[in-house]
Amino acid sequence: MRLALTVQQFRSLTLGLFILSVIALARLCAVGGSSGPTRDWALPPLGPPGLDEKIIAFIGEDLRNAGNLGVGAGVKEAARRMGWEVRFFDIGSREDLRKTVFQRVVALRPDGIVLGGVDALKNLEFITPLARVGIPVIGWHAAPDPGPIPGTPVQVNVATDSVTVARAAAQFVIADSKGQAGVVIFTDSHFAIAQKKAATMAKMIEDCKGCTLLEVVDLSLDRTAALMPDTTRRLLREYGGRWQYSLAINDLYFDHAMAALVMDGRQPEGPPSNISAGDGSPSAMLRITYGGYQTATVPEPLILQGWQLVDEMNRLMQGEPPSGYTTPACIITQKDLTPGDDPIGIFDPANGYRQAYLNSWKRN
């Protein structure tokens, strides 16, 4: 059973995923309809100096997911610079492991806990005991909105605003189609953040007079590999040329749609033209860079958000309020990416956030 990962296992898993990408880090993205340099992004506010020798537990909903994995890599990188140890626990989206994973984390008694993609409200029965023993809990994508999560012990949720992300993706489709898009939306009702993204995108497409919302497909992220090929074939049979655009709450859907699209003779540039409202995975960036079955994504700055999680935890441990920092949503298309030889190849803003955090923590 997969319950906890050693540092070496996590390092191997991280490199195994990220080494697939050979694109240069994005330096530009479209924010509010115009493209601009990410070096101009606001820096996080200063917080207290860093504490020493803390142990953090990172509970991933599913470390096979590039978003979970990427933000975990950011937490690991930042914690190393802080002088903290991180223990990784993987639920693997398996209900038979969920309770056991949380029990093992309680037994560890870490100094703090990060929920990686774990829905706080749906897992409240497991999260509450952590707070009872005085362990601060923060999350990444643990709810649709950034900030504290009402009704839960989660004091900070780090995320780009989900509505802003969804609106950016849907607006791209409407503009690109000149208001004439036939759209399929892919979502996962297991997660509140996915439901909110999908509902926002669906409303925008429905409000577009010349657009048609063909279908909202509810397909669990952890089953995309098994179900997406047949789902893609069904949609092609049912809608044919009317299926012009796809909107998805995560790039993962398009990882497993490609084979069916190729076998059906669909061209890499579409239709359907595939656009994702998160997370900006390495495989998505490759597809966009080389024009292969994905047109755009609204990426999360995963490594930055991992650093922010460590900073938020450092604040909470010292009785300081959360930073209130939220990154903007931006959409990445082929013009924003340059083929190159960078071995990481995930969206990473060039605003100098690492040095800003190190300065704040007095870790220079």
Side-chain angles (χ1 to χ4, degrees):
M1 294 192 301
R2 289 188 307 157
L3 295 177
L5 280 74
T6 66
V7 171
Q8 184 58 46
Q9 287 170 325
F10 185 77
R11 182 182 296 115
S12 298
L13 186 59
T14 302
L15 291 175
L17 175 66
F18 290 161
I19 202 69
L20 296 176
S21 183
V22 290
I23 62 175
L25 297 179
R27 297 302 186 221
L28 296 174
C29 66
V31 182
S34 61
S35 186
T38 60
R39 66 173 179 270
D40 294 338
W41 282 22
L43 287 168
L46 291 175
L51 297 173
D52 296 324
E53 298 181 350
K54 299 297 181 181
I55 296 176
I56 301 301
F58 184 98
I59 305 175
E61 175 62 34
D62 194 337
L63 289 177
R64 294 169 297 183
N65 180 287
N68 264 213
L69 193 57
V71 79
V75 169
K76 175 177 173 289
E77 178 184 284
R80 179 178 60 82
R81 298 299 298 271
M82 181 74 92
W84 293 0
E85 179 183 352
V86 185
R87 306 274 184 91
F88 292 93
F89 296 81
D90 187 10
I91 296 172
S93 292
R94 288 179 53 180
E95 295 308 313
D96 60 320
L97 291 185
R98 193 172 302 275
K99 182 177 180 180
T100 304
V101 166
F102 277 97
Q103 286 176 336
R104 292 197 62 181
V105 172
V106 171
L108 176 65
R109 291 295 182 96
D111 297 296
I113 294 168
V114 176
L115 304 174
V118 177
D119 191 300
L121 286 172
K122 290 186 177 180
N123 289 273
L124 189 57
E125 65 176 294
F126 305 116
I127 298 169
T128 301
L130 304 175
R132 285 184 186 144
V133 296
I135 304 173
V137 183
I138 63 176
W140 174 84
H141 282 209
D145 303 311
I149 303 177
T152 79
V154 181
Q155 301 177 62
V156 184
N157 181 48
V158 172
T160 303
D161 180 72
S162 60
V163 170
T164 306
V165 168
R167 289 185 63 84
Q171 186 56 51
F172 177 89
V173 166
I174 293 168
D176 191 66
S177 69
K178 298 178 173 58
Q180 300 295 316
V183 182
V184 172
I185 294 175
F186 296 94
T187 189
D188 184 348
S189 61
H190 291 94
F191 302 98
I193 190 169
Q195 291 176 301
K196 193 166 185 176
K197 284 183 183 179
T200 299
M201 293 188 292
K203 186 176 189 310
M204 289 185 67
I205 298 302
E206 288 171 337
D207 288 347
C208 168
K209 281 191 176 181
C211 298
T212 304
L213 179 59
L214 300 173
E215 187 174 335
V216 177
V217 179
D218 185 2
L219 197 159
S220 180
L221 284 167
D222 67 310
R223 301 199 66 201
T224 52
L227 300 180
M228 194 63 186
D230 284 344
T231 299
T232 303
R233 285 188 282 270
R234 176 186 67 77
L235 292 168
L236 289 168
R237 287 195 305 270
E238 190 162 341
Y239 299 113
R242 290 189 295 155
W243 181 17
Q244 299 163 336
Y245 290 85
S246 306
L247 282 166
I249 56 90
N250 192 286
D251 299 298
L252 190 60
Y253 293 99
F254 305 138
D255 287 357
H256 304 292
M258 287 178 60
L261 292 172
V262 170
M263 295 300 293
D264 195 65
R266 297 302 175 111
Q267 295 303 304
E269 65 274 11
S273 180
N274 298 319
I275 295 91
S276 173
D279 292 317
S281 68
S283 57
M285 294 295 193
L286 275 173
R287 286 191 293 270
I288 294 166
T289 301
Y290 296 105
Y293 299 97
Q294 186 163 349
T295 304
T297 188
V298 185
E300 295 277 4
L302 298 171
I303 304 299
L304 186 162
Q305 290 174 337
W307 280 68
Q308 183 184 351
L309 286 162
V310 171
D311 181 68
E312 301 290 0
M313 185 64 72
N314 183 59
R315 292 169 187 263
L316 291 177
M317 288 177 178
Q318 299 183 60
E320 296 284 337
S323 72
Y325 182 66
T326 304
T327 55
C330 69
I331 192 158
I332 294 287
T333 62
Q334 190 177 49
K335 66 182 176 59
D336 302 310
L337 299 171
T338 305
D341 57 0
D342 190 285
I344 302 293
I346 61 173
F347 176 62
D348 196 26
N351 63 343
Y353 67 86
R354 287 177 175 86
Q355 192 58 52
Y357 277 125
L358 291 172
N359 291 343
S360 180
W361 300 338
K362 305 294 189 289
R363 288 296 193 266
N364 289 317

